[in-house]
Amino acid sequence: MTVPVLALLALAPIAAALVMMVGMRQPATRAMPLAWLLCAVLGWWAWDMPVALLAASTIAGFGNALNVLIIVFGALAVLYTLRDSGGATTINKWFHDVSADRRVQAVIIGVLFNAFLEGAAGFGTPAAICAPLMMTLGFPALAAAMICLVANSFPVTFGAVGTPVWFGLKPLSAQVEQAIAAGKAGDIQSMAQFLSDVGGWSAIIHLAMVFLLPLFILAMMTRFFGKNRSWKEGFGAWKFSLFASACFTVPYVFTALTLGEDFPSLLGGLISLAIVVPAAKKGLLVPKDAWEFGPRAQWEPDWSGEIPPAGPVERQRPLTVLQAWTPYLLIGAILVITRLDFLPLKAWLASISLGWKDIMGQQGVGFGVKILYLPGVIPFILVALLTIFIHRMRAHQVKMAWKDSFLRMKNPTIAMLFAVALVEIFKQSAGNPGNLPSMPLSMAHAAADLAGGTWPLFAPLVGALGSFISGSNTVSNLMFGLFQYDVAGQLGLPHQIIVALQAVGGAMGNMVCIHNIVAVSATVGLKGVEGLIIKRNVLPLMFYAAVVGSVGLLLAYWIVPGIF
């Protein structure tokens, strides 16, 4: 079969899932099993994948899904524990003292706190913490999910202490070192320098969207969830939004250009929070008229999930603000100290792994669960347990919190198992007997043939495709990083810029990735609205792609065409 035909066949399972969720408004619990079945049939028929390989890939997908499901459960445990301890009520009151304006709260939590968590842990942690927190403050569950998914974009290139760059682009090592040895890599002296340069260019390519995207998020919030359905009301907070973006941008870009790919998002989020929260409390650049959602009775049915808003909790002594925030402070601190390479905890936690290698005799097909290194266990479940004592919870409160956490796992478990199984079949299709390009590579090659010299405009969309399929910028870079590098060489374009566009695209793809949407929806109790989220989040995705693609085109052809 030709590459275009293979590309269309590979696209079919994704298209089927989208039609069911977006067009037919079916829940992911129905759409993803059907998409997995179609993918398995196509893998057997078109890619000639043995049945044993398809079965092993499915088992491996189920195993890998445990990593995300444990994170979702841990996030739910934290959410329900704070709900039933009274911590959510205290945090709600504190945030209203900082600012009652929902636009200000969306920027602080959905953008800045989100970025800090992404830089510290990644792998679904930011939305799993921020979306439930926003819901406890009174945001509609659907609004909280959409805001956190869209905002979790420019920090993702440097998520989990730079993992998408230093690990996701690892397959390029041989080609880069070969180019260095042949004297074709310009002033690049090592793979480490190449990755550092890619990180720096990625931050520059993201730069415009660091300022534009938060404004776009606020406008979406007021348009879709406001009483007046107005885009203009969101832009009314433009001064505060741009101020927050500036506070984030300076450490973000400076760190990327000077210290490398490990800490831009973490330091950008942390430093900006330290500046922006006190400024908001003093009213600096905050709009005079606070914006609020309409009365809860007027909310549309799909705005709220199965998790009711936190109400007042009867306590002998009310929690202090410090007590209420202690679980989140612990989560942030534990994430940082367990992710730093120079501390022994990271290596020890990561060394404890459960899994299955070479499933059913299929070489290279397997899964692993680093049970203690997963954010779902440490810190989420650990902190949920500690909070029982910190907040002096009663036995019936603890029982209710953990019971609800388990009950809410049914739907995300079904959707996640089959979504990740589909991804594994996509990945393992590279091992077909006929040496055909894998499913994702078929789509990427077809796109490259169509784009030609305009490739910088489309390179981010390939990165987004990888994230959409896999749910991970790291996996997107692993799948398509080498492909992007080769396309740059064939077209005579700067390798660093095209690979940076891949890293940027993989980050922006988080907005619409089914994997993340299912996980975030579960943490706020939403059911059957995955298609609606994808439909709405496509708008900021295409805006993002147009901006960063245009920046990439300018860099590749006019600003720095001569770099390696």
Side-chain angles (χ1 to χ4, degrees):
M1 293 187 191
T2 63
V3 169
V5 172
L6 289 172
L8 289 173
L9 291 174
L11 188 62
I14 298 172
L18 289 176
V19 168
M20 286 192 70
M21 290 191 294
V22 178
M24 301 171 65
R25 295 295 297 271
Q26 294 293 309
T29 51
R30 295 180 185 175
M32 294 320 301
L34 179 64
W36 161 82
L37 179 61
L38 180 57
C39 186
V41 170
L42 288 171
W44 169 76
W45 175 68
W47 276 264
D48 201 22
M49 295 174 68
V51 173
L53 178 57
L54 290 168
S57 300
T58 299
I59 294 170
F62 286 176
N64 284 320
L66 290 175
N67 290 283
V68 182
L69 290 171
I70 291 170
I71 292 174
V72 172
F73 175 78
L76 286 172
V78 172
L79 170 64
Y80 283 120
T81 299
L82 287 171
R83 178 199 68 183
D84 294 333
S85 73
T89 303
T90 303
I91 290 172
N92 193 336
K93 184 179 182 302
W94 179 84
F95 248 109
H96 277 85
D97 290 341
V98 171
S99 174
D101 195 314
R102 299 300 188 183
R103 296 167 297 185
V104 173
Q105 294 174 4
V107 170
I108 292 174
I109 302 173
V111 179
L112 304 183
F113 189 42
N114 193 317
F116 165 72
L117 291 173
E118 179 62 39
F123 300 105
T125 303
I129 289 294
C130 294
L133 175 57
M134 292 175 74
M135 192 181 69
T136 64
L137 296 179
F139 282 70
L142 183 60
M146 287 176 57
I147 290 167
C148 291
L149 285 165
V150 174
N152 196 28
S153 46
F154 51 81
V156 174
T157 295
F158 307 103
V161 200
T163 301
V165 177
W166 63 259
F167 182 75
L169 297 176
K170 203 172 183 179
L172 279 65
S173 296
Q175 281 74 10
V176 172
E177 289 169 1
Q178 186 178 4
I180 293 170
K184 298 179 180 179
D187 59 356
I188 299 294
Q189 301 297 317
S190 66
M191 181 61 183
Q193 185 184 345
F194 177 80
L195 293 178
S196 180
D197 283 6
V198 167
W201 286 115
S202 296
I204 290 170
I205 292 169
H206 275 303
L207 189 56
M209 290 308 298
V210 175
F211 286 90
L212 295 176
L213 190 66
L215 277 172
F216 198 94
I217 289 169
L218 297 182
M220 283 182 64
M221 182 176 74
T222 58
R223 168 63 181 85
F224 292 122
F225 302 99
K227 290 179 288 186
N228 301 319
R229 302 302 175 101
S230 165
W231 293 94
K232 185 179 179 181
E233 289 178 344
F235 293 124
W238 67 272
K239 292 180 181 178
F240 182 80
S241 179
L242 293 179
F243 166 67
S245 293
C247 292
F248 175 84
T249 296
V250 174
Y252 176 76
V253 174
F254 177 80
T255 304
L257 293 176
T258 59
L259 301 180
E261 67 273 12
D262 291 341
F263 299 113
S265 296
L266 191 153
L267 290 179
L270 187 63
I271 293 171
S272 58
L273 281 170
I275 299 170
V276 172
V277 172
K281 198 165 186 177
K282 292 180 180 180
L284 181 65
L285 301 177
V286 172
K288 292 181 181 179
D289 298 321
W291 185 87
E292 177 61 279
F293 300 104
R296 192 176 295 271
Q298 297 177 11
W299 290 5
E300 295 180 11
D302 55 12
W303 290 12
S304 302
E306 298 174 338
I307 301 174
V313 176
E314 292 185 8
R315 296 183 57 91
Q316 290 182 343
R317 295 180 181 178
L319 291 171
T320 66
V321 171
L322 179 59
Q323 280 179 306
W325 272 105
T326 294
Y328 289 115
L329 296 175
L330 284 173
I331 286 170
I334 293 171
L335 284 172
V336 171
I337 65 174
T338 56
R339 265 58 185 174
L340 295 175
D341 288 321
F342 59 83
L343 295 177
L345 277 174
K346 178 179 179 179
W348 178 72
L349 293 174
S351 68
I352 301 171
S353 180
L354 306 173
W356 186 0
K357 294 181 179 180
D358 300 336
I359 298 172
M360 299 176 65
Q362 301 299 309
Q363 190 173 2
V365 182
F367 68 90
V369 179
K370 295 180 180 178
I371 191 69
L372 296 181
Y373 190 67
L374 277 177
V377 178
I378 298 177
F380 290 0
I381 292 176
L382 173 62
V383 168
L385 291 170
L386 292 174
T387 303
I388 296 170
F389 304 99
I390 296 169
H391 290 184
R392 299 175 183 177
M393 295 176 67
R394 297 172 182 174
H396 74 275
Q397 293 174 320
V398 176
K399 181 180 178 181
M400 186 182 299
W402 285 78
K403 178 183 176 182
D404 285 348
S405 300
F406 279 107
L407 288 175
R408 298 299 177 199
M409 289 301 297
K410 177 186 174 182
N411 289 324
T413 297
I414 295 170
M416 194 64 67
L417 288 175
F418 286 99
V420 184
L422 180 149
V423 170
E424 194 66 26
I425 292 174
F426 258 69
K427 188 168 69 173
Q428 296 301 333
S429 63
N432 63 83
N435 291 321
L436 297 172
S438 67
M439 294 181 181
L441 272 180
S442 297
M443 290 187 283
H445 279 301
D449 290 341
L450 287 172
T454 61
W455 182 247
L457 282 173
F458 297 93
L461 290 173
V462 170
L465 173 66
S467 291
F468 174 80
I469 294 170
S470 67
S472 166
N473 191 13
T474 301
V475 176
S476 178
N477 289 346
L478 286 168
M479 284 197 299
F480 293 132
L482 187 55
F483 164 77
Q484 298 267 24
Y485 182 93
D486 288 342
V487 170
Q490 291 170 16
L491 297 176
L493 297 171
H495 295 80
Q496 293 157 290
I497 301 300
I498 302 302
V499 174
L501 288 169
Q502 159 64 35
V504 168
M508 75 183 191
N510 268 357
M511 298 182 196
V512 294
C513 132
I514 296 172
H515 178 293
N516 288 350
I517 288 171
V518 169
V520 175
S521 297
T523 62
V524 292
L526 290 169
K527 181 181 177 183
V529 297
E530 296 90 353
L532 178 60
I533 293 175
I534 292 173
K535 183 179 179 180
R536 288 184 176 174
N537 285 6
V538 162
L539 186 60
L541 173 74
M542 298 312 296
F543 175 49
Y544 208 118
V547 171
V548 298
S550 299
V551 172
L553 199 67
L554 289 171
L555 289 170
Y557 282 105
W558 288 284
I559 300 177
V560 287
I563 65 170
F564 172 61

